[in-house]
Amino acid sequence: MKIWHLFIIFFVLMSVQVIAQGEGNERLYSIEQIQQGFRKKYVYKRQVIDNPLALQIPLLESKDPEVSLEFYRFKSKRNLMNWISSAGAGLSIYSWIYPGKVSNGFSLTTVGVAALANIYLGKMSMRNLNRALSKYNSLAKTSPQLSLEFTPTNPTSGPSLALQWKYNF
């Protein structure tokens, strides 16, 4: 057997293993933002998504650490907002059930501080989400592509095998 037959068999086996891994074969679809009144809605694969937490699966499919970190920060700030809202609501309910135990000034101050903290955290969490979406959309436009091309008969030089990786810088 000639040596070039061994090289062809080696490259074919290596390309089968590369294709079998499945890395880079996933296509990323961009996520669009739609402003409707005071709410933002998101469009992913022609589906309208109301809740930004539902974007977790497409954002984490990018396997990009920056996108994952920004989305994690968004989720943690949203979780903190829920805890602050629960504390303010709990104090309000407690002061309503036991009217003389908590002064009105303390109750109103606590609820006001909780509202201001939620407004600040909401703005910061949306900033993190927007960063994650912009990075994800830039990755979706420039996703790497791996292709294998085999030409059995080339009139000038015989059979050829090509492994091509396209990536836009």
Side-chain angles (χ1 to χ4, degrees), residues 43-124:
V43 178
Y44 176 69
K45 289 185 182 178
R46 296 185 296 168
Q47 294 179 358
V48 178
I49 299 172
D50 293 331
N51 191 352
L53 291 173
L55 297 173
Q56 179 173 2
I57 292 173
L59 287 175
L60 295 181
E61 280 180 351
S62 69
K63 297 177 183 135
D64 185 61
E66 186 177 341
V67 173
S68 299
L69 178 66
E70 291 295 333
F71 189 75
Y72 173 74
R73 288 178 180 166
F74 164 75
K75 277 181 51 176
S76 63
K77 287 177 184 169
R78 285 293 171 126
N79 194 16
L80 182 60
M81 286 172 56
N82 289 337
W83 279 102
I84 291 172
S85 297
S86 298
L91 182 67
S92 297
I93 291 172
Y94 181 78
S95 66
W96 181 63
I97 292 174
Y98 303 106
K101 301 266 181 168
V102 179
S103 69
N104 286 340
F106 178 73
S107 177
L108 291 175
T109 302
T110 304
V111 170
V113 167
L116 288 175
N118 278 341
I119 290 171
Y120 174 74
L121 287 172
K123 191 166 186 70
M124 297 305 292

Side-chain angles (χ1 to χ4, degrees), residues 31 33 42 55 59 129-138:
I31 299 172
Q33 296 182 21
Y42 304 93
L55 297 173
L59 287 175
L129 180 65
N130 289 335
R131 285 180 189 160
L133 286 176
S134 65
K135 177 68 176 172
Y136 173 83
N137 286 335
S138 68

Side-chain angles (χ1 to χ4, degrees), residues 128-153:
N128 291 123
L129 180 65
N130 289 335
R131 285 180 189 160
L133 286 176
S134 65
K135 177 68 176 172
Y136 173 83
N137 286 335
S138 68
L139 290 173
K141 290 177 184 171
T142 62
S143 61
Q145 298 173 352
L146 183 67
S147 63
L148 177 69
E149 182 180 322
F150 179 72
T151 308
T153 57

Side-chain angles (χ1 to χ4, degrees), residues 15 18-19 22-26 139 142-149 161-169:
S15 65
V18 168
I19 293 171
E23 297 290 328
N25 290 340
E26 301 170 8
L139 290 173
T142 62
S143 61
Q145 298 173 352
L146 183 67
S147 63
L148 177 69
E149 182 180 322
L161 177 69
L163 183 63
Q164 185 177 28
W165 185 52
K166 293 181 183 177
Y167 186 79
N168 296 334
F169 290 99

